[in-house]
Amino acid sequence: MVLAALLPLANAWSQSVYKCTVDGKASYQTLPCAGQGKSLTIAPGPTEQDQKEAKARADAEKARLGSFGDASKRGEQWQPVGQQVDCAQLNRARGEAFGQRNAAVRSSRQSNVDNSGAVGRSHDRIIAIESRMMQGGCRPN
């Protein structure tokens, strides 16, 4: 009885699909359109073997590229990946950039002169330094 109930479903998967265009709008149906429409062949999705091969290619490519320029965080410990950097030097440069930005903001407030260009450049430098720190696995002080 179960097989008899599933038999119509198996037949549904093998039916043709027709694309019809009415007033510029496409519709898809199981019956041919009146005077038009064409049968579409719908290819099955990738097989399990295709998926395994694609995963193997992706894993090989990932291994070939390594973790260049990537930093990963496991738990609360930053793990440096890729090129080694001098974290102390980057932290010093970051501190100097923050100092320059803060000085430009103070100067602007005291003299009522627009220093937004200097503030923006300092901010961009901070972002670039922090990016290098992240890539190298450094933690900010």
Side-chain angles (χ1 to χ4, degrees), residues 3-140:
L3 282 175
L6 293 176
L7 191 57
L9 292 175
N11 189 30
W13 288 108
S14 65
Q15 291 181 350
S16 296
V17 175
Y18 296 89
K19 178 180 178 183
C20 304
T21 306
V22 179
D23 296 329
K25 294 183 181 181
S27 67
Y28 300 89
Q29 55 195 49
T30 57
L31 299 172
C33 310
Q36 58 141 342
K38 55 183 167 178
S39 177
L40 300 177
T41 303
I42 299 176
T47 65
E48 190 172 325
Q49 182 62 30
D50 292 338
Q51 292 175 8
K52 286 179 183 177
E53 290 170 0
K55 184 176 181 335
R57 284 192 307 272
D59 289 343
E61 183 69 8
K62 186 176 179 182
R64 185 182 72 80
L65 293 176
S67 300
F68 177 73
D70 210 6
S72 62
K73 187 176 180 184
R74 295 188 182 102
E76 291 300 311
Q77 294 291 323
W78 281 94
Q79 300 294 323
V81 181
Q83 184 179 7
Q84 294 295 319
V85 296
D86 183 357
C87 294
Q89 189 271 335
L90 286 174
N91 269 305
R92 281 191 300 276
R94 180 176 176 267
E96 291 169 6
F98 268 107
Q100 290 170 352
R101 186 202 62 186
N102 295 344
V105 169
R106 275 193 305 277
S107 172
S108 181
R109 288 180 183 158
Q110 291 170 352
S111 64
N112 205 19
V113 174
D114 182 18
N115 286 336
S116 59
V119 171
R121 285 187 298 277
S122 297
H123 181 73
D124 291 344
R125 186 166 175 241
I126 292 167
I127 298 298
I129 292 168
E130 288 179 343
S131 175
R132 281 186 281 173
M133 291 176 76
M134 292 283 291
Q135 289 174 351
C138 300
R139 298 190 95 189

